[in-house]
Amino acid sequence: MLSVSPHLSVSGLVKELKGKSSWKVLSEFKSLSRQYWVRYFWVRGYFVESSGNVTDEVIMEYIKNQDVEKESDDDFKISDS
């Protein structure tokens, strides 16, 4: 969840977040940079919604209590291929 000043461009912010984070990940995991050198690291779209009259606390509680089955990442591996 992000809080953004109304005078900032949401599309510009998303572009910066995706660009900087992909640079960071690809610089730390060189095998991924070979894999993604022509393709996009992140998907091209994004979702934005304003919260209206709902408080930040209500939104954070909603996010915290999502009914998502937690998966173990013990078998997560990054291949060099």
Side-chain angles (χ1 to χ4, degrees):
M1 183 173 118
L2 294 173
S3 178
V4 180
S5 176
H7 76 277
L8 292 176
S9 161
V10 173
S11 61
L13 175 66
V14 171
K15 180 181 174 183
E16 288 289 321
L17 286 171
K18 286 183 172 184
K20 302 251 185 203
S21 62
S22 65
W23 180 85
K24 177 82 170 155
V25 169
L26 294 175
S27 67
E28 289 186 23
F29 299 96
K30 297 297 184 190
S31 62
L32 289 177
S33 64
R34 288 188 293 275
Q35 199 173 357
Y36 286 96
W37 73 276
V38 185
R39 297 177 286 176
Y40 291 101
F41 184 75
W42 300 117
V43 294
R44 296 180 77 181
Y46 59 91
F47 176 79
V48 175
E49 183 66 52
S50 64
S51 60
N53 294 327
V54 180
T55 65
D56 289 349
E57 290 79 19
V58 170
I59 295 170
M60 294 305 292
E61 190 67 25
Y62 174 78
I63 292 169
K64 181 177 149 189
N65 292 319
Q66 288 295 301
D67 189 23
V68 177
E69 186 177 316
K70 300 204 187 244
E71 296 180 20
S72 171
D73 61 353
D74 293 339
D75 62 347
F76 179 78
K77 291 182 178 73
I78 297 176
S79 69
D80 289 335
S81 55

